[in-house]
Amino acid sequence: MKWSVQQLNTLKNKGINIDEMVDVSDLKKTNNDIQDISLVHVKGEGNFSNHSITFSLSIKGEMVLPCSRTLADVPFPFQVETIETFKLHDWIGFEGDDDVHELENDIVDLLPYIKQAILLEIPLQIFSEGLKGDAPQSGNDWELLTEENKKERIDPRLADLAKFFDDK
């Protein structure tokens, strides 16, 4: 997933096809919500123009995130489509274009952009399916009430007040 400009110039006529499994497990250190992440399948191709190379990538994998209600582990499959463009030569046409990436030390490295695309796919909230019974129904000084329970139940703070109108 790393090429120097010289390597890219030799591949210009052949083109670049990508079909690799990539280890991005260090994302667990970057984002505390990620409990685990599988190897990620990256598939795509690189297309050359006069002064740049554009990669069209499909990133597919699965990560484990905590449920927003119960903190139980929830598998979250993802598939991301992204396009990344790198400027190969200094050219005036790319000035101020945020979608075009500069090269560092004349090397094109796709891995940081793959990781960024995966991090952007993490949902704000995720809920586990079928784990309804695993959610706690009561705790220290609290209890989950349903509408039926709420109607039948008398607030303990007002229980003595209910006795006020009883006939003596």
Side-chain angles (χ1 to χ4, degrees):
M1 299 298 235
K2 236 184 214 189
W3 300 273
S4 68
V5 173
Q6 292 173 343
Q7 289 173 323
L8 290 173
N9 285 333
T10 60
L11 294 171
K12 206 173 209 176
N13 295 332
K14 277 199 284 183
I16 297 176
N17 288 318
I18 300 168
D19 192 2
E20 293 184 31
M21 297 299 282
V22 180
D23 181 18
V24 291
S25 59
D26 58 332
L27 285 177
K28 292 188 285 189
K29 296 174 189 169
T30 307
N31 189 318
N32 293 332
D33 286 341
I34 299 175
Q35 306 296 320
D36 194 20
I37 189 163
S38 66
L39 289 176
V40 175
H41 185 217
V42 179
K43 195 172 184 177
E45 61 182 19
N47 297 314
F48 291 90
S49 68
N50 289 338
H51 304 284
S52 66
I53 182 168
T54 301
F55 291 95
S56 300
L57 303 173
S58 175
I59 305 163
K60 190 175 186 178
E62 183 175 277
M63 63 180 103
V64 177
L65 301 171
C67 174
S68 296
R69 283 191 197 122
T70 64
L71 296 178
D73 289 344
V74 179
F76 177 71
F78 61 90
Q79 182 165 356
V80 183
E81 305 291 328
T82 185
I83 297 174
E84 304 295 337
T85 303
F86 294 88
K87 176 170 71 166
L88 296 177
H89 309 288
D90 290 332
W91 190 54
I92 298 172
F94 291 123
E95 295 297 320
D97 194 349
D98 292 338
D99 295 335
V100 178
H101 310 296
E102 297 278 336
L103 297 184
E104 292 182 22
N105 301 326
D106 287 340
I107 293 179
V108 172
D109 187 9
L110 284 178
L111 194 56
Y113 300 100
I114 291 170
K115 290 177 183 178
Q116 180 183 17
I118 292 170
L119 287 174
L120 290 173
E121 282 298 303
I122 297 175
L124 294 176
Q125 290 184 336
I126 186 168
F127 300 108
S128 58
E129 301 271 336
L131 291 178
K132 188 175 184 181
D134 290 349
Q137 302 297 313
S138 63
N140 189 13
D141 295 332
W142 70 273
E143 182 180 343
L144 181 66
L145 290 179
T146 60
E147 285 298 318
E148 297 90 38
N149 293 347
K150 191 175 180 181
K151 289 177 184 174
E152 297 171 5
R153 188 170 171 188
I154 298 173
D155 189 344
R157 298 171 293 179
L158 302 175
D160 290 337
L161 188 60
K163 296 176 189 173
F164 182 74
F165 291 109
D166 287 344
D167 289 336
K168 295 183 183 185

